[in-house]
């Protein structure tokens, strides 16, 4: 029999579900308590406010991204590694999609979270460049240092702005399906196509087919 989840853990889990479903702005601590069928006082015993819950969720997201956004250790990178990164990015964006939906508001509401996010962003850009250098060394991509830096920045802009882009393009942006996020990950893959070497072209083309979602389909789901 699985151990019973502690109240604090349940609050975090239920908050993530509600934030993802409805958007963080539409969910108050009273909504969370009512959803869990606990008293607001019980929730406040564990978290003084909603920002404290968001901080825990961001910490989970940060640890998740840090766990996979790094070059392979002790071996040469492969196209299969590229598939791994894309799938991991998709899962992270999907499971914590509320963070991407209204990022500026979240950071404006919490200066400490904003400082943590800036450090996280810089770290992701550094690791992203290291990963791209690994693909260059493996003969999968052909880029110089300036191109690696620019591609990493462009990929980060796409990934962090994708949900906001969709919200200006589709009518019901609060209910985004996983296919909408897959198209965002595909856009990053497309950014790299001009740098793919002839030796890796076939494998990368197969990867593009795997992740491609027609844009209209991404908007509808």
């Amino acid at each position: 029999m699985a151990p019973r989840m502690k109240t604090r853990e349940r609050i975090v889990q239920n908050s993530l579900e509600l934030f993802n479903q409805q958007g963080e702005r539409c969910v108050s601590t009273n909504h969370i308590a009512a959803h869990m069928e606990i008293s607001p006082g019980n929730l406040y015993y564990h978290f003084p406010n909603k920002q404290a819950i968001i901080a825990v969720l961001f910490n989970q997201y940060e640890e998740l991204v840090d766990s996979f956004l790094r070059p392979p250790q002790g071996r040469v990178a492969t196209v299969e590694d590229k598939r791994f990164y894309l799938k991991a990015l998709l899962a992270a964006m999907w499971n914590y999609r509320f963070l991407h939906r209204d990022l500026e508001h979240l950071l404006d509401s919490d200066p400490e979270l904003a400082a943590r996010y800036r450090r996280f962003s810089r770290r992701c850009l550094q690791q992203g460049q290291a990963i791209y250098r690994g693909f260059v060394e493996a003969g999968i991509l052909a880029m110089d240092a300036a191109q690696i830096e620019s591609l990493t920045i462009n990929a980060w802009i796409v990934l962090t702005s994708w949900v906001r882009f969709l919200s200006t393009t589709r009518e019901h942006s609060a209910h985004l399906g996983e296919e909408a996020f897959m198209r965002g990950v595909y856009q990053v893959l497309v950014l790299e196509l001009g740098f793919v070497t002839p030796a890796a072209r076939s494998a990368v083309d197969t990867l593009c087919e795997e992740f491609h979602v027609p844009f209209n389909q991404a908007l509808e789901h």
Side-chain angles (χ1 to χ4, degrees):
M1 185 175 178
R4 185 178 179 184
M5 188 180 295
K6 294 180 180 180
T7 301
R8 178 183 173 85
E9 296 170 349
R10 289 180 56 231
I11 292 171
V12 172
Q13 184 181 75
N14 281 269
S15 297
L16 177 59
E17 293 173 0
L18 291 174
F19 292 161
N20 280 341
Q21 291 169 3
Q22 302 177 29
E24 175 271 335
R25 290 199 200 205
C26 298
V27 178
S28 68
T29 50
N30 285 341
H31 289 136
I32 297 167
H35 179 74
M36 295 178 61
E37 298 183 344
I38 63 175
S39 69
N42 193 354
L43 186 147
Y44 289 128
Y45 174 79
H46 297 279
F47 294 98
N49 50 46
K50 189 168 66 169
Q51 282 71 28
I53 301 174
I54 293 169
V56 171
L57 289 170
F58 176 74
N59 187 62
Q60 292 179 355
Y61 176 73
E62 186 177 24
E63 289 181 353
L64 174 62
V65 174
D66 284 340
S67 73
F68 68 77
L69 198 65
R70 60 184 66 179
Q73 300 299 306
R75 63 173 178 81
V76 176
T78 66
V79 174
E80 187 57 37
D81 289 314
K82 190 176 290 293
R83 175 181 284 106
F84 165 77
Y85 291 128
L86 294 173
K87 284 186 174 293
L89 286 168
L90 174 62
M93 290 176 66
W94 172 250
N95 292 328
Y96 292 87
R97 52 195 178 275
F98 85 93
L99 288 172
H100 294 265
R101 181 179 293 153
D102 207 359
L103 184 61
E104 284 88 351
H105 165 70
L106 292 172
L107 300 184
D108 287 344
S109 303
D110 189 337
E112 183 177 343
L113 180 64
R116 286 179 60 194
Y117 186 84
R118 286 193 294 271
R119 293 192 295 271
F120 170 70
S121 177
R122 288 194 294 268
R123 193 164 64 250
C124 287
L125 290 171
Q126 291 170 352
Q127 289 295 88
Q129 289 188 63
I131 289 169
Y132 278 132
R133 283 195 296 270
F135 285 134
V136 171
E137 292 167 4
I140 296 170
L141 299 175
M143 295 186 289
D144 59 27
Q147 290 169 327
I148 289 173
E149 181 184 63
S150 295
L151 181 59
T152 304
I153 292 171
N154 287 344
W156 182 251
I157 290 171
V158 170
L159 289 171
T160 57
S161 305
W162 182 247
V163 176
R164 280 162 288 163
F165 164 70
L166 289 179
S167 71
T168 64
T169 312
R170 53 179 281 160
E171 186 175 353
H172 303 293
S173 60
H175 303 287
L176 296 171
E178 191 169 3
E179 286 188 337
F181 287 82
M182 182 175 286
R183 177 61 195 235
V185 172
Y186 171 79
Q187 291 299 127
V188 172
L189 187 55
V190 170
L191 289 174
E192 305 169 9
L193 291 184
F195 303 104
V196 175
T197 62
R201 171 61 64 179
S202 177
V204 172
D205 285 347
T206 299
L207 202 56
C208 287
E209 293 176 8
E210 179 181 340
F211 280 86
H212 179 256
V213 174
F215 187 53
N216 287 339
Q217 186 175 323
L219 290 178
E220 292 169 0
H221 294 82

